[in-house]
Amino acid sequence: MGNEVLSNLMGGGEVFPPDKEFAARAVAGADLYDQADADREAFWAEQAERLHWETKWSQVLDWSNAPFAKWFVGGRLNVAYNCVDRHVDDGHGDQVAIHWVGEPGDSRDITYAELKAEVSKAANALSSLGLVAGDRVAIQLPMIPEAIVAMLACARLGLTHSVVFGGFSPAALRSRVDDAQAKVVITSDGQYRRGKAAPMKANVDEALKDAASVEKVVVVRRTGAEVDWTEGRDLWWHELVDSQSDEHEPEAFDSEHPLYILYTSGTTGRPKGILHTSGGYLTQAAYTHRVVFDHRPGEDVYWCTADIGWVTGHSYIVYGPLANRVTQVVYEGTPNTPHEGRHWEIIQKYKVSIYYTAPTLIRTFMKWGADIPARYDLSSLRVLGSVGEPINPEAWLWYRENIGAGSTPIVDTWWQTETGAIMISPLPGVTAAKPGSAQRALPGISAKVVNDSGAEVPHGSGGYLVLDKPWPSMLRGVWGDDDRFRDTYWSRFADQGFYFAGDGAKYDDDGDIWLLGRVDDVMNVSGHRISTTEVESALVSHPTVAEAAVVGASDPTTGQGIVAFVILRGSATDEASGEEAIAELRNHVAKEIGPIAKPRQIMIVPELPKTRSGKIMRRLLRDVAENREVGDVTTLADSSVMDLISSGLRKPE
Ligand code: 6R9
């Protein structure tokens, strides 16, 4: 395997052609590329026709006010109707939509008819609070059915949801609630994590102290933990929702009606509220879910292991799959609770046929050992997916061999919160797969690798990934900040009008695309985007810290690990013992942002390497963090700083 990996990294490795039988039945054929190339707008119109529109659009794409796109102009639809009611109306009310598996071992099967009743009740409940289309609702919930019901109830009413990952701190939740001016927050008493009940509402209470926009907090009972109660503001979900009528007439909204805001880290300290709208988003989420996973409704059992707090949960647990009448597993907990075979046990039990997860988890499974999946019957699996970061060929090959019986296609799907749906991916049954490469833009999508001046690089070379044509599920803006939207995504290649993804990429000799990671100050830790600036701001907000610089250092399990270099204030240096100060700072970052942002390593240093203009040279710090010979220091204002740093350091663990 070693040689294969090496030659793959060099772009000339083993290729896995599609299985003939699989190809013969595949949902998508190679002709899809030609069809899309022949007439892109007609192609997307055809994909949109698969949804139910109350009013048809008059124009497929209006790009006249670029970069603000309008797709399916004048069309009207209800997103929740498309994800739920439509399937009941078509006679599939008894089909299981969700096999929900709780971490402690409880479970629930929910049919489309039941989902429709639940969503209708929740919609009636939210209306009864006085919410009207366009209002924002923040949702911080664990992976329980109510999370999906709450999102769909918002969509049904034209309320714009903002889901906040359950692991985010009160401060992070608060800034999101304030930015979106959310009127209602939906949360739970607690959540199960690694076999224990952890509080959730307590965090929300802390977050919402004097939050002016918030009128009501709706609380789902999950763990039964005691919670503080703010009379007049707090309401139990079961008291509010259960008594409502399960009839609710869905209203159609404009294709460009805001569906959700999802905050993601950028290169500055302040997260951006990425805005997605309705018709184009649902069209591409459903199309990609169908062709990339070769999904057949009524036959497949699908499982995406993401959390609804991330975009993968939005597009590939809620909107895309449900629009396609999926039967899916939704699992609440961690993959090693109560044992390291939990995922394989679930796949065996529900006969999961499509499994979509992240490279960081695959590498964790590798670490736990191939003997664990080998104990389970995984023969139902027929498509495997990967998302969140580049998948190294070794993990790809392990995944195919040990989870996919050495034969299932693997789809390595590149996309972003901003793109809303998958953009670059192999098509199972069509593409001859190359381990480690996302390969090619999907039919209807256009991506290029360009150099600094925006010219496409030749095959065999690298540069920046750009998207050179608008796509239906593209972000419609940054909530409340049009300038930031233009600056961040559209200014780098303004002359060409390209969307700048922030990722490095290269073409191999066949013109297939290999993603090379972020080219900006965004780290990718276990598939989560965290900005260096955000962690730096958290560190310097601690009273003992004078200055901080943060880098992402490559990590065998998490992709990148956060490494912080910190200068303590004069008095703190004398008082705090190193270990204690470091533990305190790690916890401080967890408190400010959330446990996912906890630095793997903090190094207390006397100085930071800076250029003459005062810019921190992260490249040099990365060399230190990755245990390498330190590179060129000639642009440093004081070239002795690196010696000072290196000599003062304990060897990185
Ligand atoms: C869906 C999601 C987006 C960033 C993106 C890139 C990285 C995602 C990838 C990948 C290589 C893949 N990324 N998928 N890199 N190959 N298949 O992850 O959204 O959280 O916004 O992250 O993740 O760097 O720019 P998001």
Side-chain angles (χ1 to χ4, degrees):
M1 197 181 272
N3 282 339
E4 238 166 56
V5 171
L6 196 67
S7 59
N8 260 310
L9 280 172
M10 294 169 66
E14 196 181 344
V15 173
F16 296 82
D19 176 76
K20 286 210 176 64
E21 251 170 74
F22 190 108
R25 279 199 78 203
V27 165
D31 55 324
L32 216 55
Y33 292 101
D34 302 331
Q35 196 193 324
D37 285 347
D39 188 341
R40 268 183 98 245
E41 291 191 10
F43 174 82
W44 282 116
E46 201 180 313
Q47 306 315 318
E49 305 267 9
R50 304 181 72 90
L51 302 177
H52 174 88
W53 295 80
E54 200 190 78
T55 311
K56 208 182 152 174
W57 56 89
S58 55
Q59 190 185 350
V60 173
L61 168 66
D62 177 359
W63 192 228
S64 59
N65 185 30
F68 297 90
K70 285 192 179 142
W71 281 85
F72 308 112
V73 184
R76 293 180 77 81
L77 80 173
N78 185 289
V79 169
Y81 176 84
N82 273 281
C83 292
V84 185
D85 307 42
R86 174 163 73 119
H87 309 315
V88 179
D89 293 351
D90 290 347
H92 300 289
D94 292 338
Q95 182 184 322
V96 172
I98 297 169
H99 291 295
W100 178 76
V101 182
E103 195 187 75
D106 47 343
S107 65
R108 257 178 89 185
D109 286 346
I110 303 166
T111 64
Y112 275 98
E114 287 163 346
L115 189 60
K116 179 181 166 193
E118 294 282 317
V119 173
S120 299
K121 281 188 197 173
N124 283 323
L126 293 177
S127 294
S128 78
L129 301 181
L131 292 168
V132 295
D135 286 345
R136 273 83 57 207
V137 173
I139 299 175
Q140 188 172 46
L141 280 172
M143 289 295 290
I144 53 178
E146 287 81 356
I148 298 172
V149 170
M151 289 165 76
L152 290 168
C154 287
R156 194 175 184 95
L157 295 172
L159 306 173
T160 302
H161 59 67
S162 161
V163 180
V164 180
F165 176 58
F168 273 127
S169 67
L173 171 62
R174 175 59 178 273
S175 68
R176 287 157 173 78
V177 164
D178 283 351
D179 187 69
Q181 290 289 292
K183 282 194 178 163
V184 166
V185 179
I186 305 177
T187 187
S188 67
D189 51 358
Q191 60 175 332
Y192 289 104
R193 263 351 246 174
R194 299 176 214 291
K196 283 201 217 87
M200 195 165 233
K201 172 146 196 303
N203 293 346
V204 173
D205 285 338
E206 192 186 330
L208 298 186
K209 252 178 238 147
D210 306 318
S213 67
V214 177
E215 293 165 7
K216 298 285 177 205
V217 175
V218 182
V219 187
V220 178
R221 186 138 69 197
R222 171 60 184 135
T223 61
E226 289 253 337
V227 289
D228 288 344
W229 208 250
T230 303
E231 285 305 329
R233 186 197 71 175
D234 297 350
L235 299 159
W236 283 111
W237 171 280
H238 57 269
E239 286 175 4
L240 176 70
V241 174
D242 290 359
S243 56
Q244 300 287 337
S245 156
D246 59 11
E247 303 268 322
H248 180 270
E249 196 58 47
E251 179 191 338
F253 295 98
D254 189 90
S255 180
E256 286 300 334
H257 187 77
L259 179 61
Y260 68 81
I261 305 167
L262 186 58
Y263 288 83
T264 186
S265 290
T267 50
T268 74
R270 210 162 41 89
K272 299 180 287 251
I274 302 301
L275 175 66
H276 284 292
T277 59
S278 304
Y281 171 79
L282 193 63
T283 297
Q284 192 175 331
Y287 156 70
T288 50
H289 174 262
R290 193 172 80 87
V291 300
V292 172
F293 299 107
D294 194 50
H295 176 255
R296 271 183 282 264
E299 287 180 41
D300 279 308
V301 179
Y302 166 87
W303 182 13
C304 166
T305 70
D307 189 283
I308 47 131
W310 309 114
V311 74
T312 307
H314 284 62
S315 299
Y316 297 104
I317 293 178
V318 182
Y319 294 112
L322 292 174
N324 289 337
R325 187 165 53 86
V326 79
T327 293
Q328 71 177 326
V329 167
V330 173
Y331 172 54
E332 179 185 36
T334 41
N336 52 352
T337 307
H339 58 79
E340 291 170 350
R342 188 73 195 264
H343 276 207
W344 320 126
E345 182 182 80
I346 292 171
I347 289 174
Q348 174 177 287
K349 173 165 180 196
Y350 292 101
K351 299 196 167 38
V352 171
S353 54
I354 305 169
Y355 178 71
Y356 189 28
T357 194
T360 182
L361 193 56
I362 299 167
R363 290 192 296 266
T364 303
F365 292 142
M366 288 171 77
K367 214 162 56 182
W368 292 344
D371 55 313
I372 295 172
R375 286 179 215 143
Y376 298 88
D377 178 5
L378 305 181
S379 60
S380 53
L381 288 171
R382 60 179 202 91
V383 179
L384 299 176
S386 170
V387 62
E389 57 175 311
I391 179 166
N392 47 311
E394 198 186 359
W396 195 105
L397 292 166
W398 187 93
Y399 195 23
R400 176 161 160 125
E401 201 50 44
N402 296 285
I403 310 304
S407 62
T408 56
I410 295 179
V411 287
D412 173 8
T413 62
W414 180 89
W415 59 294
Q416 307 177 300
T417 305
E418 293 87 341
T419 70
I422 299 171
M423 303 293 283
I424 306 177
S425 167
L427 285 178
V430 176
T431 313
K434 294 177 184 171
S437 171
Q439 298 195 286
R440 203 178 153 182
L442 289 176
I445 300 298
S446 186
K448 280 193 168 80
V449 182
V450 301
N451 65 15
D452 258 320
S453 45
E456 191 167 14
V457 301
H459 289 181
S461 313
Y464 305 104
L465 183 74
V466 299
L467 303 167
D468 57 316
K469 291 192 180 125
W471 62 100
S473 64
M474 68 196 294
L475 74 168
R476 298 303 198 263
V478 171
W479 185 255
D481 203 340
D482 288 351
D483 289 341
R484 200 168 171 200
F485 172 55
R486 283 199 198 86
D487 289 351
T488 313
Y489 304 105
W490 304 95
S491 65
R492 181 70 181 74
F493 297 106
D495 292 348
Q496 298 84 353
F498 294 161
Y499 168 90
F500 174 54
D503 279 42
K506 67 161 194 182
Y507 288 128
D508 65 16
D509 293 338
D510 305 324
D512 279 320
I513 296 174
W514 296 66
L515 276 310
L516 302 174
R518 302 287 307 188
V519 293
D520 52 15
D521 291 331
V522 176
M523 299 174 285
N524 190 328
V525 182
S526 297
H528 300 151
R529 276 164 72 170
I530 300 166
S531 99
T532 52
T533 328
E534 220 176 326
V535 180
E536 284 165 6
S537 327
L539 283 166
V540 295
S541 75
H542 192 274
T544 62
V545 175
E547 218 185 332
V550 166
V551 298
S554 61
D555 183 286
T557 306
T558 59
Q560 284 189 311
I562 304 176
V563 178
F565 296 81
V566 169
I567 305 176
L568 295 180
R569 289 179 192 276
S571 54
T573 328
D574 306 334
E575 286 161 21
S577 88
E579 294 301 324
E580 262 172 50
I582 288 169
E584 159 86 21
L585 290 179
R586 292 184 72 235
N587 290 333
H588 178 71
V589 174
K591 198 175 136 269
E592 287 295 306
I593 306 173
I596 50 165
K598 244 189 195 181
R600 184 187 76 185
Q601 222 176 342
I602 294 183
M603 311 202 198
I604 311 273
V605 293
E607 277 304 335
L608 289 171
K610 289 186 185 157
T611 61
R612 282 174 197 87
S613 63
K615 276 211 175 73
I616 294 173
M617 292 194 68
R618 289 203 174 68
R619 173 172 61 79
L620 299 177
L621 293 174
R622 221 171 285 128
D623 288 340
V624 174
E626 293 179 347
N627 247 332
R628 260 194 315 270
E629 195 70 30
V630 171
D632 182 13
V633 296
T634 49
T635 51
L636 280 183
D638 174 359
S639 61
S640 67
V641 165
M642 286 318 290
D643 296 335
L644 219 67
I645 291 177
S646 304
S647 64
L649 287 179
R650 297 165 299 121
K651 271 273 162 249
E653 302 111 65

